């Protein structure tokens, strides 16, 4: 049986189904106890079940915690852990370089959040979950949404 090589057109054409998720552009807001960091979530896809083929939203760590709880409750997939909460970094006597707002810590957390999202969204059973769509594409998360599955257009 002869093996046929891939043509250049096949190699460089858009894949049948793709879902690209990037967690980028961390921004820290507020002062004192009201200070927090959020991240831009950029999505590009051609999977029919996604309403928007490209989207960009901002989410903070607590939103990722919400998504993880929803996915654990509503799906049969093994949901990976989030990067650690870093409670020790929140203590008032911790120096700025060791705080939640240290650039190196924020970058490590960003990488961990991106890995978390890509693991979840790469699972076919998770791609139909309303909670994932709410998280990835809604301008503001409606935490009173009705859980369930999305349907292709």
């Amino acid at each position: 049986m002869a093996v046929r090589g891939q043509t250049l057109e096949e190699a460089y054409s858009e894949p049948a189904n793709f879902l690209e998720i990037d967690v980028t552009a961390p921004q820290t807001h507020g002062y004192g106890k009201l200070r927090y960091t959020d991240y831009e979530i950029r999505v590009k896809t051609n999977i029919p079940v996604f309403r928007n083929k490209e989207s960009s939203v901002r989410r903070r760590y607590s939103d990722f915690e919400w998504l993880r709880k929803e996915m654990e409750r509503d799906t049969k997939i093994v949901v990976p852990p989030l990067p650690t909460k870093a409670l020790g970094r929140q203590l008032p006597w911790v120096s700025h370089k060791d705080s939640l707002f240290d650039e190196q810590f924020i970058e490590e957390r960003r990488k961990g959040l991106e890995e978390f999202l890509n693991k979840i969204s790469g699972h076919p059973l998770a791609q139909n979950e309303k909670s994932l769509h709410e998280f990835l594409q809604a301008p503001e998360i409606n935490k009173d949404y009705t859980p369930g599955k999305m349907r292709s257009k």
Side-chain angles (χ1 to χ4, degrees):
M1 177 174 189
V3 176
R4 183 179 78 81
Q6 190 177 38
T7 67
L8 278 176
E9 187 175 314
E10 291 169 335
Y12 292 101
S13 65
E14 186 175 279
N17 283 322
F18 72 90
L19 176 59
E20 296 174 9
I21 299 175
D22 295 314
V23 177
T24 65
Q27 291 180 353
T28 300
H29 309 273
Y31 296 94
K33 292 183 180 185
L34 300 176
R35 199 169 184 200
Y36 67 93
T37 301
D38 65 10
Y39 304 83
E40 182 179 7
I41 314 298
R42 292 185 191 163
V43 177
K44 289 184 182 179
T45 186
N46 66 355
I47 297 174
V49 75
F50 283 87
R51 194 171 294 131
N52 302 319
K53 299 310 167 197
E54 290 190 24
S55 64
S56 174
V57 296
R58 295 205 67 86
R59 299 289 184 251
R60 53 194 290 183
Y61 187 86
S62 58
D63 297 326
F64 284 85
E65 290 177 312
W66 172 84
L67 175 63
R68 187 171 194 286
K69 287 179 194 164
E70 295 297 302
M71 296 299 282
E72 281 183 324
R73 185 189 71 207
D74 297 336
T75 68
K76 295 186 178 9
I77 69 169
V78 175
V79 181
L82 285 166
T84 60
K85 185 76 174 163
L87 296 174
R89 289 180 171 270
Q90 298 177 33
L91 300 172
W93 59 81
V94 172
S95 72
H96 178 72
K97 73 176 187 63
D98 294 326
S99 79
L100 281 176
F101 307 105
D102 172 61
E103 288 181 26
Q104 185 176 351
F105 173 75
I106 290 172
E107 176 58 15
E108 290 300 315
R109 180 175 268 185
R110 184 204 64 75
K111 288 177 186 175
L113 294 172
E114 184 174 84
E115 184 178 323
F116 167 80
L117 274 184
N118 280 296
K119 282 181 180 178
I120 285 180
S121 63
H123 197 293
L125 293 176
Q127 291 173 358
N128 292 329
E129 290 297 325
K130 284 184 181 178
S131 57
L132 182 65
H133 290 254
E134 188 74 23
F135 181 89
L136 291 176
Q137 298 196 315
E140 298 290 327
I141 296 175
N142 174 9
K143 295 182 180 176
D144 294 325
Y145 81 108
T146 304
K149 308 286 184 220
M150 298 294 291
R151 296 180 189 208
S152 297
K153 295 179 187 176

